[in-house]
């Protein structure tokens, strides 16, 4: 009885305390569209109180009679409101926010599959807006992605913070996602960059850290999410962009191989879309013709992309049905190596004869590829969201007797549940089936990949927390099946309204591809590659701590970011040169193996590196906005240093203290013996700067990039690749590469924008990938108009 009386007394006290408090119901919405503004920071009397929910609402209890309320959102102008409780203890207040005319893309979805401000992400995410993509005339998506700090795209292979080096035939360690679904090929596990609908891109999100928990195999090093646009209500889209490019003569006139037509490129793309009632659609076309500055590398491509959706409710709740599809035909050339470093610098291997019609160093491939992606989304009134998406992606070659044919069927289901106002639970499963018919008479192979995942996101006040888990099953015909669990966790703490600290840990994995396991080119190509049926999956983890600072001058908004990262990989796959004899020679003494047999089985093979370690630091600065009423400025800059090593080459580096001691020394010297243990085809230093200013329609932009020299390559290339040893031994050659691009434009009030672009302004002879020269100075005239 006594305990009951105490409990009753405490309950009464709690009730009376609640009555004594004042309650403030806040609703925040856009003054332009009337839509609720979620994730707006609510600061009361100088103290961060919380954040608005999906309905733009926030409820606050206080005993105080007077409050100074501040509402902050990166896409809107800040508002301050004084609230007084005089005659009532409950107040309802609606706050309209005026949208900024220019602003950085501030909300991401890739890192956690949920909308979240970029400042509250637990991992580093970089955003690339569409305006920058268009202004630099990116004809292929990797041209744009290569601008992101810490990212390199070398001959089509993307790497984040040196997680990968160039390796011909190795699949991507960065998962490329288009509108929520992966788009890597079934055979090589790589991205066909010219297949991405760049004319319809809204923005790009780059996640720098393992994405395997959310998206599965392939996300070991991170993820790139390509988000295409949808038309706004009562605002149709109509955009046309065309350009013409000419390549200048090389700095050394003796290296000019073209005698009649100057190399160059021209193309046109168009996008149109409209939102009419419950139905939206967007159509994009792209046509590109290239006369290559490297002989025998002319290319043409034509692409059509169409997407549409039907929504039962304009706010996204209820049922939404979507259809996305693309088809492209292309006649391309895969370049392998130059003929020499002198007069045939821009000529493929064995292609120097003026009468030649082909070369061993340039392989022609006629490709046809398409995908269809139907999708259904259902969201309840309480915010529970179901998403079911499928994709059929087909790629085939058309100019071989035994053409490559690949199919990838993907089924993805996710369920997003708001458990509380601050906590969301996301779960789902994925199933993939893929088949490949190889062009080298290997035959048909099929594979299956099934997985399930779950994660929890918490966002309240100063804290943003995330944790997740994934379990994946993988099998390929003729190879032992694999099962892998992975885990991730991260936290973000808001020190004050403009300063954010984050820390995260994530595991990742990548299964070997058909090409890495089965490909056999011995006797068919200049560089023989041998199969490896014992190849194991790559597996590793990534840890990061970071600091993000937000600063605003007028409406010019800045983000300064600093991060320290550490990656450990097991069984990393690297292309390795060696002698790969068939099993029948295992019992034969080495001195009794015929020389012609040894020569026949010398080549490259995908091999597992038992233990690889990579740590580094990154500083970046992104900004966008008006410094004055007329002067608009956009920046994208960063410096990345990393030291990826093969611990097998120096076992002392297994000790983290020994590794980081040498890491500190390697920052300022090239003499450290640690460099001898570096993984192949990596650059330690990477600097990027893109600065663009617009004043009364005039545009001026500069793009500078620097890559330090590649510390290690296979010694066989120094010996056998024609001209390579001569090139690196030239007086003054350091291996450090840089280039400068310049753009000048003018946007007319009614007739579109004209832009003149000069790439490789100083006409340097440089190589990002060994024995593959980059273009001499070239000039582009671009015209773009939007209706």
């Amino acid at each position: 009885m006594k305990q009951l009386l105490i409990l009753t007394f405490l309950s009464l006290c709690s009730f009376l305390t609640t009555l004594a408090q004042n309650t403030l119901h806040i609703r925040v919405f856009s003054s332009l569209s009337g839509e609720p503004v979620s994730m707006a920071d609510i600061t009361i009397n100088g103290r961060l109180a919380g954040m608005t929910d999906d309905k733009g609402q926030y409820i606050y209890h206080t005993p105080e009679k007077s409050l100074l309320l501040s509402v902050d959102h990166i896409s809107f102008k800040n508002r301050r409101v004084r609230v007084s409780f005089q005659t009532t203890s409950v107040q309802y207040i609606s706050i309209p926010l005026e949208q900024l005319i220019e602003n950085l893309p501030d909300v991401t979805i890739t890192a956690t599959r949920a909308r979240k401000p970029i400042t509250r992400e637990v991992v580093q995410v970089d955003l690339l807006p569409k305006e920058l993509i268009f202004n630099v005339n990116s004809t292929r998506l990797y041209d744009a992605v290569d601008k992101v700090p810490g990212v390199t795209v070398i001959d089509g292979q993307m790497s984040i913070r040196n997680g990968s080096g160039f390796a011909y035939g190795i699949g991507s360690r960065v998962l490329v996602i288009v509108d929520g679904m992966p788009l890597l090929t079934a055979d090589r596990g790589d991205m066909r960059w010219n297949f991405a609908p760049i004319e319809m891109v809204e923005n790009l999100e780059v996640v720098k850290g393992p994405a395997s928990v959310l998206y599965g195999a392939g996300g070991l090093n991170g993820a790139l999410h390509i988000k295409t646009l949808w038309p706004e209500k009562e605002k149709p889209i109509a955009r046309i962009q065309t350009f013409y490019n000419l390549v200048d003569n090389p700095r050394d006139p003796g290296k000019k191989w073209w005698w009649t037509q100057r190399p160059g490129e021209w193309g046109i793309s168009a996008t149109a879309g409209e939102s009419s009632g419950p139905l939206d659609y967007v159509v994009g076309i792209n046509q590109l013709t290239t006369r290559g500055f490297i002989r025998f590398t002319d290319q043409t491509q034509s692409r059509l992309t169409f997407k549409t959706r039907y929504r039962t409710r304009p706010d996204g709740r209820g049922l939404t049905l979507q259809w996305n599809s693309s088809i492209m035909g292309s006649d391309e050339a895969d370049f392998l190596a130059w003929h020499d470093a002198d007069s045939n610098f821009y000529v493929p291997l064995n292609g120097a004869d003026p009468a030649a019609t082909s070369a061993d160093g340039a392989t022609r491939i006629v490709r046809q590829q398409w995908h269809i992606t139907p999708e259904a989304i259902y969201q309840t009134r309480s915010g529970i969201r179901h998403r079911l998406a499928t994709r059929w992606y087909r790629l085939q070659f058309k100019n071989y007797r035994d053409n490559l044919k690949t199919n990838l069927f993907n089924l993805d289901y996710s369920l997003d549940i708001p458990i509380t106002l601050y906590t969301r639970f996301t779960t789902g499963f994925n199933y993939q089936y893929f088949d490949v018919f190889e062009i080298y008479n290997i035959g048909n192979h099929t594979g299956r990949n099934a997985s399930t995942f779950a994660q929890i996101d918490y966002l309240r006040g100063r804290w943003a927390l995330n944790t997740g888990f994934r379990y994946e099953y993988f099998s390929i015909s003729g190879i032992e099946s694999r099962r892998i669990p992975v885990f991730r966790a991260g936290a973000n703490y808001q020190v004050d309204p403009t300063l954010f600290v984050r820390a995260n840990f994530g595991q990742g994995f990548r299964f070997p591809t058909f090409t890495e396991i089965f490909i056999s080119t011995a006797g068919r190509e200049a560089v023989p590659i041998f199969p490896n049926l014992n190849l194991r999956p790559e597996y590793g983890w990534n840890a990061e701590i970071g600091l993000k600072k937000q600063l605003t001058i007028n409406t010019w908004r800045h983000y300064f970011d600093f991060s320290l990262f550490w990656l450990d990989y097991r069984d990393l796959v690297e292309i390795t040169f060696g002698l790969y004899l068939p099993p029948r020679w295992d019992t034969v003494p080495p001195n009794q193996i015929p020389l012609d047999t040894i020569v026949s089985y010398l080549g490259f093979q995908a091999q597992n590196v038992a233990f690889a370690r990579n740590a580094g630091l990154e500083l970046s600065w992104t900004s966008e906005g008006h410094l004055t009423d007329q002067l608009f400025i956009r920046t994208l800059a960063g410096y990345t240093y990393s030291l990826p090593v093969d611990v097998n080459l120096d076992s002392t580096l297994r000790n983290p203290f020994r590794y980081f001691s040498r890491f500190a020394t390697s920052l300022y010297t090239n003499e450290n013996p640690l460099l001898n243990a570096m993984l192949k085809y990596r650059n330690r230093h990477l600097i990027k700067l893109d600065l663009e200013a617009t004043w009364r329609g005039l545009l001026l932009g500069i793009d500078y990039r620097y890559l330090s020299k590649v510390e290690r390559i296979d010694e066989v290339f120094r010996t056998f690749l024609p001209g390579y040893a001569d090139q690196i031994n030239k007086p003054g050659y350091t291996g450090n590469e840089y280039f400068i691009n310049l753009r000048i434009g003018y946007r007319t009030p009614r007739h579109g924008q004209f832009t003149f672009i000069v790439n490789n302004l100083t006409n340097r002879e440089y190589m990002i990938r060994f024995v593959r020269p980059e273009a001499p100075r070239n000039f582009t005239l671009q015209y773009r108009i939007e209706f």
Side-chain angles (χ1 to χ4, degrees):
M1 185 64 180
K2 182 180 179 180
Q3 292 178 340
L4 180 60
L5 289 173
I6 293 174
L7 182 61
T8 302
F9 175 75
L10 291 175
S11 299
L12 181 60
C13 289
S14 175
F15 176 71
L16 292 175
T17 301
T18 303
L19 289 179
Q21 287 189 336
N22 300 306
T23 302
L24 181 64
H25 292 260
I26 304 169
R27 173 177 171 266
V28 181
F29 62 96
S30 168
S31 62
L32 180 64
S33 65
E35 295 291 324
V37 175
S38 60
M39 296 178 290
D41 287 333
I42 305 297
T43 302
I44 297 178
N45 291 341
R47 182 187 179 97
L48 182 66
M51 183 178 292
T52 56
D53 61 15
D54 290 343
K55 299 178 182 179
Q57 298 178 359
Y58 181 77
I59 300 175
Y60 182 70
H61 301 284
T62 178
E64 300 180 37
K65 294 294 184 180
S66 179
L67 305 175
L68 178 60
L69 174 66
S70 177
V71 182
D72 301 280
H73 193 285
I74 190 173
S75 295
F76 298 86
K77 292 183 179 180
N78 300 341
R79 282 288 306 272
R80 287 191 174 187
V81 179
R82 174 69 67 177
V83 179
S84 298
F85 295 90
Q86 300 295 337
T87 60
T88 178
S89 62
V90 179
Q91 285 229 30
Y92 294 86
I93 181 171
S94 295
I95 303 175
L97 296 184
E98 182 181 348
Q99 190 158 4
L100 294 173
I101 302 301
E102 312 285 356
N103 57 80
L104 283 172
D106 63 293
V107 178
T108 68
I109 62 171
T110 309
T112 58
R113 285 205 185 206
R115 287 171 54 86
K116 184 178 290 185
I118 190 172
T119 54
R120 307 312 307 273
E121 290 288 5
V122 299
V123 299
Q124 170 67 357
V125 180
D126 284 338
L127 301 169
L128 193 65
K130 64 179 183 298
E131 291 82 5
L132 183 58
I133 299 172
F134 295 146
N135 287 345
V136 300
N137 197 59
S138 298
T139 56
R140 297 168 182 84
L141 195 65
Y142 61 75
D143 294 329
V145 174
D146 200 39
K147 287 183 168 295
V148 177
V151 174
T152 56
V153 183
I154 302 177
D155 210 11
Q157 292 186 318
M158 181 178 175
S159 172
I160 298 176
R161 294 172 172 172
N162 257 337
S164 303
F166 172 77
Y168 186 77
I170 293 294
S172 176
R173 295 189 180 102
V174 178
L175 194 61
V176 181
I177 304 159
V178 179
D179 290 329
M181 292 283 282
L183 196 68
L184 298 181
T185 60
D187 60 325
R188 292 177 58 169
D190 65 352
M191 176 63 185
R192 306 314 308 175
W193 291 99
N194 57 354
F195 190 43
I198 194 167
E199 66 279 358
M200 293 171 55
V201 169
E202 182 67 17
N203 61 58
L204 303 177
E205 297 181 6
V206 178
V207 178
K208 297 177 176 178
S212 295
V213 168
L214 288 181
Y215 298 102
L220 180 65
N221 190 210
L224 165 67
H225 195 171
I226 305 163
K227 296 195 294 184
T228 59
L229 56 84
W230 285 109
E232 299 179 19
K233 186 178 180 181
E234 298 180 357
K235 190 178 180 180
I237 300 169
R239 179 171 61 230
I240 298 175
Q241 180 169 312
T242 185
F243 74 95
Y244 189 83
N245 168 274
L246 281 179
V247 176
D248 199 359
N249 292 328
R251 173 175 290 187
D252 181 355
K255 295 179 179 180
K256 174 184 173 183
W257 63 264
W258 48 91
W259 302 278
T260 54
Q261 292 182 312
R262 186 182 295 272
E265 189 171 58
W266 52 95
I268 185 171
S269 62
T271 303
E274 187 176 7
S275 178
S276 178
L279 186 66
D280 305 329
Y281 76 88
V282 185
V283 180
I285 61 171
N286 179 278
Q287 172 66 45
L288 193 64
T289 302
T290 306
R291 187 183 300 122
F293 66 92
I294 296 177
R295 198 180 181 201
F296 303 119
T297 60
D298 295 353
Q299 301 188 26
T300 60
Q301 69 177 53
S302 301
R303 183 180 63 242
L304 171 67
T305 303
F306 173 74
K307 56 185 292 190
T308 185
R309 69 181 175 187
Y310 175 84
R311 294 181 291 176
T312 57
R313 289 173 54 99
D315 61 2
R317 288 180 170 82
L319 180 64
T320 299
L321 300 176
Q322 295 183 184
W323 178 277
N324 190 344
S325 59
S326 292
I327 183 169
M328 188 180 84
S330 60
D331 185 345
E332 307 174 45
D334 282 355
F335 178 80
L336 181 63
W338 64 22
H339 187 75
D340 60 51
D342 296 315
S343 59
N344 296 301
F345 189 73
Y346 298 105
V347 174
L349 186 66
N350 298 329
D353 187 347
T357 58
S358 63
D360 294 334
T363 304
R364 295 222 63 82
I365 300 175
V366 179
R367 290 187 176 97
Q368 184 185 78
Q369 51 193 315
W370 50 263
H371 81 83
I372 54 175
T373 307
E375 184 175 336
I377 301 170
Y378 182 77
Q379 184 168 327
T380 67
R381 289 186 176 181
S382 59
I384 298 175
R385 185 175 184 268
H386 303 262
R387 176 180 175 269
L388 179 65
T390 62
R391 173 168 284 167
W392 179 10
Y393 178 23
R394 181 174 176 84
L395 168 67
Q396 59 184 6
F397 293 178
K398 304 288 288 184
N399 61 328
Y400 291 94
R401 183 182 64 185
D402 297 317
N403 283 309
L404 170 70
K405 302 180 181 69
T406 75
N407 292 287
L408 175 61
F409 302 92
N410 195 333
L411 173 67
D412 186 84
Y413 170 77
S414 63
L415 173 63
D416 185 41
I417 304 174
I419 300 176
T420 69
L421 185 62
Y422 313 103
T423 309
R424 303 188 74 88
F425 174 71
T426 305
T427 187
F429 65 84
N430 180 272
Y431 178 80
Q432 297 182 34
Y433 171 86
F434 32 92
D435 60 66
V436 174
F437 178 78
E438 264 288 358
I439 62 177
Y440 294 121
N441 298 318
I442 295 175
N444 290 312
H445 291 280
T446 62
R448 291 172 176 82
N449 191 352
S451 61
T452 182
F453 72 92
Q455 78 164 18
I456 295 178
D457 287 282
Y458 175 85
L459 179 59
R460 183 178 185 182
R462 296 179 181 270
W463 284 101
L465 306 175
N466 171 272
T467 185
F469 173 83
R470 189 181 191 96
Y471 186 82
E472 190 127 357
Y473 166 84
F474 181 84
S475 68
I476 290 180
S477 56
I479 302 296
E480 181 183 358
S481 62
R482 313 281 185 177
R483 294 168 175 82
I484 289 183
V486 289
F487 168 81
R488 68 176 287 186
N492 181 301
Y493 180 74
Q494 185 173 1
V495 179
D496 62 41
T498 64
L499 183 63
F500 306 84
V501 179
R502 66 179 181 275
N504 65 83
F505 171 88
Q507 295 173 312
F509 65 94
R510 187 184 73 89
F511 293 116
T513 66
F514 286 111
T515 301
E516 294 163 26
I517 296 173
F518 296 111
I519 191 170
S520 177
T521 65
R524 298 179 178 90
E525 289 189 359
V527 179
I529 303 175
F530 297 94
N532 185 357
L533 302 185
N534 298 314
L535 206 59
R536 300 182 299 276
E538 300 176 330
Y539 187 87
W541 57 264
N542 184 335
E544 179 197 30
I545 57 175
L547 185 73
K548 188 181 290 288
K549 174 68 176 179
Q550 178 183 316
L551 176 67
T552 303
I553 305 173
N554 291 337
T555 63
W556 187 16
R557 193 176 298 268
H558 305 256
Y559 290 113
F560 299 94
D561 194 280
F562 173 72
S563 59
L564 299 171
F565 56 89
W566 179 4
L567 300 80
D568 270 7
Y569 289 156
R570 305 284 178 166
D571 291 331
L572 194 72
V573 176
E574 296 275 300
I575 292 292
T576 304
F577 181 80
L579 177 63
Y580 300 104
L581 292 167
R584 66 177 181 272
W585 293 99
D586 290 348
T587 58
V588 179
N591 60 354
Q592 297 182 18
I593 301 175
L595 180 61
D596 59 344
T597 300
I598 293 177
V599 172
S600 298
Y601 290 99
L602 278 174
F604 293 87
Q605 187 183 69
Q607 292 276 324
N608 291 109
V609 176
F611 188 179
R613 174 165 286 166
N614 180 26
L617 58 89
E618 184 171 280
L619 301 95
S620 66
W621 168 41
T622 58
S623 74
E624 186 171 293
H626 282 94
L627 181 60
T628 68
D629 290 341
Q630 299 292 333
L631 181 59
F632 174 80
I633 300 177
R634 178 187 294 117
T635 64
L636 182 62
Y639 167 71
T640 307
Y641 179 84
S642 58
L643 190 66
V645 298
D646 181 352
V647 176
N648 293 329
L649 299 179
D650 188 344
S651 59
T652 64
L653 300 177
R654 289 181 179 272
N655 185 321
F657 297 101
R658 178 67 61 87
Y659 170 82
F660 282 105
S661 173
R662 295 192 182 180
F663 173 89
T665 305
S666 68
L667 277 167
Y668 56 86
T669 180
N670 292 326
E671 304 301 325
N672 195 318
L674 175 62
L675 302 183
N676 297 326
M678 279 191 64
L679 291 168
K680 293 175 291 187
Y681 313 116
R682 265 80 165 181
N683 315 88
R684 286 186 294 147
H685 300 270
L686 181 62
I687 300 174
K688 297 188 178 184
L689 169 65
D690 192 283
L691 174 63
E692 183 178 277
T694 304
W695 182 75
R696 295 185 176 180
L698 292 173
L699 179 146
L700 178 64
I702 187 169
D703 173 18
Y704 172 83
R705 272 170 268 181
Y706 169 89
L707 298 90
S708 64
K709 73 173 184 177
V710 175
E711 305 288 351
R712 286 189 62 228
I713 69 166
D714 282 293
E715 290 299 322
V716 65
F717 288 135
R718 299 179 187 271
T719 305
F720 292 105
L721 279 177
Y724 184 66
D726 296 335
Q727 176 75 11
I728 63 177
N729 291 324
K730 285 182 178 180
Y733 181 81
T734 64
N736 301 324
E737 302 290 9
Y738 71 90
F739 59 92
I740 302 171
N741 303 329
L742 185 69
R743 58 188 181 272
I744 303 172
Y746 180 69
R747 177 175 295 177
T748 67
R750 297 176 56 189
H751 304 294
Q753 177 174 311
F754 295 87
T755 308
F756 180 67
I757 304 167
V758 184
N759 292 320
N760 191 5
L761 181 66
T762 59
N763 205 16
R764 294 189 71 244
E765 293 178 357
Y766 70 100
M767 297 178 294
I768 302 300
R769 194 265 279 177
F770 62 98
V771 299
R772 188 193 190 283
E774 298 298 321
R777 179 170 49 220
N778 55 95
F779 310 96
T780 301
L781 181 62
Q782 179 208 72
Y783 172 70
R784 183 171 82 250
I785 187 169
E786 299 186 19
F787 305 97

